[in-house]
Amino acid sequence: MTIPAGLSRAVLRARRDTGFLAAGVLPHLALVPVWAWAAATVARTGNWLLAVSVSAPLVLLGTPVLTAVQRARYRMLIGVDVPRLGAAPERWTWAAIARWLAATRPWRKIGYHLLLGPLLALLELLVLAAAAAGLAGVTGYAWAWALPTRIRPDRFGYLTQLPVCTVGGILLLCALPWTARAAARAEARLASGLLGPSQAQRLQERVDQLAVSRTDLIEAVDAERRRIERDLHDGTQQRLVSLAVNLGLAIATRPDLPSDAREVIEKAHLEAKEAIAELDDLVRGLHPAVLEDRGLDAALSGLAARTPLPVRLRVTLDERVAPKVESVAYFVISEALTNATKHANAMRAEVTVRQVGEVLRVRVTDDGLGGADASSGSGLTGLAKRVGSLDGAFRVSSPVGGPTTITAELPCAR
Amino acid sequence: MRAVIAEDSVLLRVGLIKVLEAGGFEVVAEAGDAEGLLAAVAEHQPELALIDVRMPPSFTDEGVRAAMEIRRRWPGTPVVLLSQYVEERYAADLLSANTSGVGYLLKQRVADVADFVAAVRRVADGGTALDPQVIAQLLLRRDSDPLARLTPRERDVLGLMAEGRSNAGISQSLVISESAVAKHINNIFAKLDLPVADADHRRVLAVLRFLGASRA
């Protein structure tokens, strides 16, 4: 006979949840003796001072310990992670202590252990009692069977009571997975609300995490571009140059070649040189080595000189900006110049890069056809995204008939 | 003429050696990085060092720095830098000290063997060979003031002059007579108020100084 999967899952879950609830009873009741004693002392002697001076430190010392116990219970028994609050400050200045206290929200924790704890313990005990009663009811016949036969008739009506007990027990046990689950969930929610971070703290933390991961991502992408650039430079480009050199040597050193062979070699030579030029442009667009080495200003002169239209270049930088900013600025200008050449039929372009305070302002203007649209999934969309990845502002002004002006403002606070 | 080659790509090194040998040079040593290059130059005192700009370990401007080191320790050693991309900043570094016996060319120029050999010879004889692309970058940097007074033709001549071409070379390249070239050059000097120097490559020196390549 096989047990249906659903049933075995429910049994396992109910066992896990009831175990979790059972483990909560003691820590939830831990502070009861403290305040019970304090209340009793006050009632007996009226000595407020003694009651408070003994119980308050106990509560204050007990709170972090109990919080750790609860956190472990949630994590280990039902896999709910109640995040820690406010790492301890590195230097204990008054301001740091104040910040730490504000971040750890101690009142809520004390409230949880002191006031809510007993109520939760009550709830846990109720569920456990229901489970125990269910088990007892279901096994009613076994209990009855264990009684000596002589006594059984004396228990009047046990034949009618036993089925009722059994059915009741079955019902209680059937309901147990849901009740235990509901109780565990309610507890988890309360705990993360009172022991964990507030919604605002949680969002703040998430934003911080996202900012860090975004930065990491940008840097990883840049590193990847550099790696590809280096691999192409050290491999394919050298191989192509070598090919062109060998063909050039063949042409230069073998004047005795038949004219048709010479023609073929010359054609191949030309093709190889064109391939080199194309690949150079492509690879340089990935991440020019000079950008890393000498900065934006140096890299832009190469870019502008290789653009097949006259480019006016004005770069005013106080100092080098962060590599990721340099890289995005270079990419914006490179793409804008490519667009001006390829799509806009521009006759001339102008590039200005200025650092104004903590913002790097990049502007590329061309006198082409205009009508460029950053929302149509063109290269401009990619630019807008890359600028956005640094929290920069990106604007395109391109009326039909031109001129087109692309502006990017990149925050570059050191 | 004895030459030393520094190039990390073994494949290309073989080609470079063949090209130099075809041009009548004798390659006495080859190196894969700046350290090996300096050792080779110290040992052989060559009449030419042909250096790749990007070499291990950092693959940025090792070659430029090695070239400047060579010029510092063994003044007068002609150096030719080769690079997949030519950058005006590297040219500026290289030319800031001295413009005689200096070359800086795109790697792919090696494929045009005859021209390349001619350029290398020019450098070995104490001349200059700069890639047109460097000149273009330098001109771009100086799109202002006196240069704006030049006619397009004069700018062409200036560019070729900066590459280190002779009057004959310029006349061939632009398909004009040598006397026309001389006239253009005189006009350029006049418009740019250039001082008259006394060496043969004073033109290049002056032009480059004007182009701002000598900004340290």
Side-chain angles (χ1 to χ4, degrees):
Chain A
M1 178 189 133
T2 55
I3 301 169
L7 181 65
S8 70
R9 250 207 318 272
V11 169
L12 280 174
R13 219 175 54 194
R15 204 178 67 185
R16 195 187 65 176
D17 288 339
T18 36
F20 162 79
L21 292 173
V25 176
L26 280 179
H28 277 144
L29 291 175
L31 288 181
V32 171
V34 177
W35 59 257
W37 173 85
T41 309
V42 171
R44 229 181 22 247
T45 63
N47 191 342
W48 277 98
L49 193 64
L50 173 74
V52 172
S53 62
V54 172
S55 61
L58 278 174
V59 170
L60 286 178
L61 287 174
T63 298
V65 176
L66 289 173
T67 304
V69 168
Q70 292 291 3
R71 201 174 269 130
R73 169 175 156 248
Y74 282 104
R75 199 182 51 241
M76 279 153 49
L77 298 179
I78 55 168
V80 169
D81 191 31
V82 178
R84 274 179 185 289
L85 280 179
E90 285 170 20
R91 292 181 44 240
W92 292 92
T93 57
W94 286 113
I97 291 172
R99 261 204 310 278
W100 178 68
L101 278 178
T104 48
R105 311 201 301 165
W107 295 118
R108 286 166 173 265
K109 286 184 184 166
I110 291 171
Y112 175 90
H113 295 299
L114 206 59
L115 306 173
L116 197 62
L119 293 177
L120 289 175
L122 203 61
L123 173 76
E124 284 153 0
L125 287 170
L126 272 175
V127 176
L128 292 173
L135 282 174
V138 167
T139 50
Y141 275 103
W143 300 110
W145 179 76
L147 289 174
T149 35
R150 278 184 304 101
I151 303 178
R152 276 183 228 169
D154 304 351
R155 299 277 166 271
F156 178 74
Y158 88 93
L159 279 178
T160 46
Q161 282 167 10
L162 268 182
V164 173
C165 285
T166 310
V167 171
I170 288 174
L171 285 177
L172 275 176
L173 282 189
C174 282
L176 183 66
W178 282 274
T179 47
R181 176 98 291 227
R185 275 200 182 153
E187 278 203 31
R189 191 159 304 165
L190 283 168
S192 31
L194 294 171
L195 300 181
S198 68
Q199 188 70 4
Q201 281 175 320
R202 225 181 308 222
L203 286 173
Q204 181 60 50
E205 203 165 301
R206 189 82 190 111
V207 169
D208 291 348
Q209 277 172 353
L210 287 173
V212 168
S213 72
R214 185 176 73 170
T215 306
D216 289 351
L217 190 66
I218 293 170
E219 274 161 11
V221 170
D222 271 346
E224 190 61 11
R225 284 169 167 265
R226 278 198 290 273
R227 193 187 60 76
I228 295 171
E229 192 271 345
R230 163 120 13 121
D231 286 354
L232 283 170
H233 177 270
D234 290 351
T236 319
Q237 283 175 313
Q238 307 308 309
R239 203 170 278 280
L240 268 176
V241 171
S242 168
L243 168 71
V245 168
N246 283 327
L247 290 168
L249 271 170
I251 295 167
T253 55
R254 301 288 307 274
D256 54 337
L257 280 173
S259 64
D260 53 346
R262 170 171 287 275
E263 208 171 300
V264 169
I265 292 178
E266 277 174 356
K267 198 158 182 284
H269 186 224
L270 202 65
E271 294 259 0
K273 284 196 292 186
E274 280 170 5
I276 291 169
E278 268 179 38
L279 185 65
D280 281 359
D281 278 354
L282 177 85
V283 173
R284 206 192 153 97
L286 280 175
H287 190 100
V290 73
L291 183 60
E292 219 167 325
D293 184 25
R294 300 293 165 97
L296 191 56
D297 189 10
L300 288 178
S301 50
L303 182 63
R306 280 197 331 281
T307 304
L309 44 108
V311 180
R312 267 182 84 101
L313 181 62
R314 287 210 218 92
V315 182
T316 327
L317 287 172
D318 316 337
E319 54 183 4
R320 283 193 64 172
V321 293
K324 61 182 180 189
V325 179
E326 280 183 343
S327 160
V328 171
Y330 179 88
F331 182 73
V332 166
I333 294 164
S334 162
E335 186 72 18
L337 288 177
T338 306
N339 282 346
T341 314
K342 276 195 184 154
H343 309 303
N345 297 330
M347 300 307 291
R348 52 188 320 110
E350 192 168 326
V351 177
T352 47
V353 179
R354 282 184 61 210
Q355 197 172 351
V356 185
E358 294 192 334
V359 172
L360 187 71
R361 194 168 290 151
V362 175
R363 208 181 75 206
V364 184
T365 310
D366 71 65
D367 61 352
L369 300 170
D373 183 6
S375 60
S376 63
S378 60
L380 289 176
T381 320
L383 285 190
K385 279 183 187 158
R386 276 201 84 169
V387 172
S389 74
L390 296 178
D391 288 333
F394 182 75
R395 281 191 302 279
V396 178
S397 145
S398 184
V400 173
T404 300
T405 303
I406 289 173
T407 319
E409 286 175 1
L410 306 167
C412 56
R414 272 279 176 201
Chain B
M1 285 191 141
R2 291 169 312 109
V4 167
I5 291 183
E7 161 66 60
D8 57 308
S9 158
V10 179
L11 197 67
L12 199 56
R13 221 189 293 170
V14 174
L16 287 173
I17 293 171
K18 277 194 222 150
V19 169
L20 284 187
E21 282 173 350
F25 286 86
E26 178 202 352
V27 179
V28 289
E30 39 183 297
D33 56 24
E35 222 170 295
L37 166 70
L38 291 173
V41 173
E43 186 187 343
H44 297 280
Q45 304 285 323
E47 286 136 314
L48 176 79
L50 185 63
I51 308 167
D52 183 5
V53 169
R54 272 172 87 172
M55 285 189 293
S58 78
F59 294 94
T60 51
D61 61 346
E62 279 80 1
V64 181
R65 279 183 268 140
M68 293 178 61
E69 180 72 3
I70 290 171
R71 303 286 289 188
R72 201 176 53 78
R73 283 163 59 181
W74 301 280
T77 307
V79 291
V80 174
L81 282 177
L82 284 183
S83 176
Q84 200 74 37
Y85 314 97
V86 286
E87 309 288 356
E88 44 104 12
R89 289 304 150 87
Y90 297 161
D93 286 354
L94 197 62
L95 297 162
S96 58
N98 193 341
T99 63
S100 63
V102 175
Y104 182 28
L105 299 166
L106 268 178
K107 256 185 196 175
Q108 62 179 88
R109 308 280 179 219
V110 183
D112 298 315
V113 176
D115 291 353
F116 177 73
V117 166
V120 172
R121 282 219 161 280
R122 215 163 52 222
V123 175
D125 295 339
T128 317
L130 287 181
D131 203 278
Q133 278 211 11
V134 181
I135 305 298
Q137 289 183 32
L138 288 168
L139 282 170
L140 181 97
R141 289 273 159 196
R142 306 283 310 196
D143 62 346
S144 57
D145 45 278
L147 221 63
R149 298 205 294 267
L150 299 183
T151 63
R153 195 38 127 192
E154 283 164 354
R155 282 181 75 117
D156 293 343
V157 173
L158 179 63
L160 289 165
M161 243 166 70
E163 274 177 46
R165 303 285 185 93
S166 63
N167 284 14
I170 296 175
S171 83
Q172 263 177 22
S173 175
L174 295 177
V175 202
I176 51 178
S177 70
E178 276 199 54
S179 61
V181 173
K183 203 172 70 195
H184 283 310
I185 291 175
N186 283 333
N187 286 345
I188 292 169
F189 284 153
K191 282 183 183 177
L192 303 184
D193 303 327
L194 288 175
V196 178
D198 51 354
D200 182 34
H201 54 264
R202 69 166 189 259
R203 319 182 319 159
V204 179
L205 188 76
V207 167
L208 288 173
R209 186 175 305 141
F210 171 74
L211 288 173
S214 310
R215 293 168 305 182

